[in-house]
Amino acid sequence: MTSLHTTRVRRRRLGVAAAAAGLIATLFTAGPAAATPDPGDKAATSSGVSVSQQAEARAAIKSGEIPGVDEIVHSDNITHVANVPKDALKGTNSDLVFQGKYAFSGNYDGFRIFDISNPKSPRTVAQVLCPGSQNDISVSGDLLFLSTDSSRSDNSCASTTQPATEKSSWEGMKVFDISDKRNPQYVAAVETACGSHTHTIVPERKNVYVYVSSYSPNATFPDCQPPHDGISVIKVPRNAPEESRIVNFPILFPDGGNPGAPDNPGVSKTTGCHDITVLPSKDLAAGACMGDGLLFSIEDPENPKIIDRVQDNVNFAFWHSATFNQGADKVVFTDELGGGGAATCNDEVGPNRGADGIYDIIGRGDHRKLVFRSYFKIDRPQAETEVCVAHNGSIIPVKGRDLMVQAWYQGGVSVWDFTNSAKPKEIAFFERGPITTAAVTTAGPWSAYYYNGYIYSNDIAKGFDVLRLDDWRTDPAKRVRMHELNVQTQPDYFDR
């Protein structure tokens, strides 16, 4: 078995968690940006901590219980092969997608394209400045899709922030032509109710369907009125993306969804979905929808149909994302406790909150049920200044095993095995020490995905990381080659 030792002894858990709180689409191939993105799209990144918490973090570093500031530690079976710092786009790094020899990196200020033909030396191909958080990203063929979930003055990349209370404000989906990777062209936009926090594509031969997830309506927002209990479905013709349009708004929560507090204290009220993962080969989708987890059929992609719905009103605060196993008989849901702004990997929070929930899919057809089996959470201690949360990951394609790589913000990158749904275990990790010991800071990997033999991680603050994983349990995945990977559109890795 591979040793997970580091240069430091890291056994004692830390104490109480700290509460935390434009321009035209410009292409850059080198050098700094010609202008500064609109500060209205900047995510909150830090909040103060007490003097005693600062002292505790410094003591933990000195004793070797946690890594030092910016110190890199990892298990023996992981090698850090490359890091590319931020360049023209200074905002928060978000999601990653892949196509051929390219990786596409979302950023609150736009997106960046890397040539990863040599994973040890990624090269920047293009950077597009187009502010509009989160800039969640997908690709399909010659099209790139970008989510805008901040209220803008219009749908252009030259827009500025504008209050959501104004009817003229815009949020939604943007579509780019990426047939020339060095010169992406903005070709279409579709406004959606409450914007587009994330999106998921369902590709077909002639069209691409886009499921838009958004939430938090408000009676004062003209374009985001309550109730908001469904998702927008956009149909994008591949040969005429300018004709993209909304074709449905299926109601997923006819009863309004999880009511949250005071009925369920500490649980988010369901007012839409945060993220959806589809498994087109099985006509299945899993929805992480604030206070609810969903399993539904996408046999008719314009009209998804709910199969089962679950809640966890004891340990889940915010259903954030979902991942199927290769056999389509399990789903891993993540809980974004603290909203990605709090230190939650500590003894005070414990192992069952802010964790992954592993569910088996039992039964057949419309009678399938989601059955809870266990929680998984990294047990490596984190400082009170480190925002640590279960975030985006992907399966590692190995026949006969259920393996996953996952981002945990400042908890780093974790590789874990959930072949036994009731007894998941970590088998590898990579992480950096705290950014600072003076404030709770949002940093670390937003996404960590396995693609064509390497793990690629988009670090919120530090840039684009490439890791090599060498382990007998995961090595067979190196033989699986993909041409395109949008993790929220899960492929059938072995039937191609």
Side-chain angles (χ1 to χ4, degrees):
M1 181 174 179
T2 302
S3 169
L4 298 185
H5 80 270
T6 70
T7 56
R8 296 176 175 267
V9 178
R10 307 177 61 208
R11 293 176 182 170
R12 186 179 69 83
R13 304 306 299 271
L14 302 181
V16 178
L23 298 162
I24 61 172
T26 306
L27 188 69
F28 302 97
T29 56
T36 303
D38 192 326
D41 281 325
K42 296 298 181 186
T45 57
S46 65
S47 62
V49 294
S50 68
V51 173
S52 63
Q53 288 170 325
Q54 294 180 43
E56 183 181 10
R58 290 193 296 268
I61 291 171
K62 186 176 180 179
S63 67
E65 292 155 6
I66 65 172
V69 172
D70 278 347
E71 179 186 3
I72 290 175
V73 296
H74 55 81
S75 54
D76 288 348
N77 50 1
I78 278 186
T79 304
H80 188 204
V81 300
N83 171 262
V84 184
K86 292 181 184 179
D87 185 27
L89 306 177
K90 304 299 186 184
T92 298
N93 278 337
S94 56
D95 212 1
L96 289 171
V97 295
F98 307 90
Q99 186 181 82
K101 66 177 184 178
Y102 299 103
F104 302 79
S105 164
N107 180 286
Y108 274 43
D109 294 336
F111 64 94
R112 187 175 184 179
I113 304 176
F114 294 99
D115 181 335
I116 55 171
S117 52
N118 179 2
K120 296 179 181 179
S121 183
R123 295 185 300 105
T124 298
V125 174
Q127 299 184 68
V128 175
L129 182 60
C130 193
S133 63
Q134 301 183 134
N135 278 334
D136 193 48
I137 192 168
S138 295
V139 294
S140 182
D142 288 338
L143 299 179
L144 180 146
F145 305 88
L146 210 61
S147 286
T148 298
D149 193 38
S150 60
S151 186
R152 312 295 301 179
S153 57
D154 57 52
N155 66 7
S156 76
C157 289
S159 68
T160 57
T161 56
Q162 183 168 288
T165 52
E166 295 188 23
K167 176 61 180 173
S168 62
S169 295
W170 187 91
E171 300 179 60
M173 287 299 308
K174 294 171 180 155
V175 185
F176 288 77
D177 183 323
I178 54 168
S179 53
D180 180 355
K181 301 296 188 293
R182 295 186 176 275
N183 189 28
Q185 298 295 311
Y186 182 13
V187 295
V190 179
E191 186 171 17
T192 56
C194 301
S196 176
H197 191 70
T198 67
H199 69 270
T200 305
I201 62 171
V202 184
E204 294 191 337
R205 181 173 296 179
K206 294 183 178 180
N207 304 298
V208 179
Y209 288 97
V210 184
Y211 292 166
V212 176
S213 296
S214 54
Y215 53 93
S216 295
N218 190 301
T220 67
F221 299 165
D223 298 322
C224 185
Q225 291 284 299
H228 183 71
D229 46 17
I231 58 174
S232 298
V233 180
I234 300 173
K235 184 177 182 179
V236 182
R238 290 189 184 276
N239 295 329
E242 67 279 1
E243 296 178 7
S244 301
R245 62 188 179 89
I246 295 173
V247 293
N248 197 10
F249 188 87
I251 303 301
L252 303 180
F253 305 99
D255 64 352
N258 196 318
D263 293 359
N264 298 316
V267 177
S268 295
K269 172 180 171 62
T270 298
T271 59
C273 287
H274 178 273
D275 208 352
I276 292 170
T277 293
V278 298
L279 191 59
S281 63
K282 304 294 186 183
D283 290 329
L284 278 178
C289 303
M290 304 183 73
D292 294 88
L294 299 180
L295 181 69
F296 49 100
S297 167
I298 57 168
E299 187 173 1
D300 177 357
E302 288 192 22
N303 297 282
K305 182 175 67 173
I306 301 299
I307 296 174
D308 195 26
R309 170 181 160 194
V310 290
Q311 297 179 352
D312 180 346
N313 294 318
V314 175
N315 288 314
F316 258 48
F318 187 94
W319 296 65
H320 175 274
S321 52
T323 303
F324 287 99
N325 70 333
Q326 177 62 33
D329 57 7
K330 300 176 187 176
V331 181
V332 174
F333 289 102
T334 68
D335 175 24
E336 193 183 38
L337 176 68
T344 66
C345 297
N346 50 43
D347 279 338
E348 179 69 15
V349 174
N352 295 336
R353 292 190 294 148
D356 296 323
I358 304 166
Y359 287 74
D360 285 352
I361 302 174
I362 305 299
R364 297 183 178 181
D366 291 347
H367 300 290
R368 283 171 284 191
K369 297 292 182 183
L370 292 165
V371 179
F372 174 77
R373 293 303 187 206
S374 67
Y375 298 106
F376 170 78
K377 186 175 182 180
I378 61 171
D379 62 2
R380 288 169 282 110
Q382 306 297 315
E384 300 297 344
T385 60
E386 292 183 282
V387 169
C388 178
V389 67
H391 224 244
N392 294 350
S394 74
I395 65 168
I396 299 175
V398 175
K399 287 184 177 180
R401 288 184 177 272
D402 294 326
L403 304 168
M404 186 170 174
V405 58
Q406 184 177 1
W408 286 80
Y409 276 28
Q410 288 195 77
V413 174
S414 175
V415 179
W416 57 290
D417 186 330
F418 63 105
T419 305
N420 182 339
S421 302
K423 294 182 178 180
K425 59 182 179 180
E426 184 175 74
I427 62 173
F429 71 88
F430 168 91
E431 69 165 290
R432 291 179 170 91
I435 295 291
T436 177
T437 59
V440 177
T441 304
T442 299
W446 177 291
S447 300
Y449 298 144
Y450 189 92
Y451 178 70
N452 290 355
Y454 287 83
I455 293 171
Y456 295 90
S457 168
N458 216 17
D459 190 290
I460 291 167
K462 296 297 184 180
F464 183 68
D465 285 311
V466 185
L467 311 175
R468 191 183 73 236
L469 176 63
D470 296 296
D471 188 283
W472 65 269
R473 290 158 291 197
T474 61
D475 283 347
K478 295 177 181 179
R479 297 192 292 269
V480 179
R481 313 301 291 181
M482 305 297 297
H483 173 67
E484 191 170 273
L485 179 63
N486 299 280
V487 168
Q488 288 75 34
T489 306
Q490 279 191 231
D492 185 332
Y493 288 93
F494 303 113
D495 184 23
R496 295 178 291 112

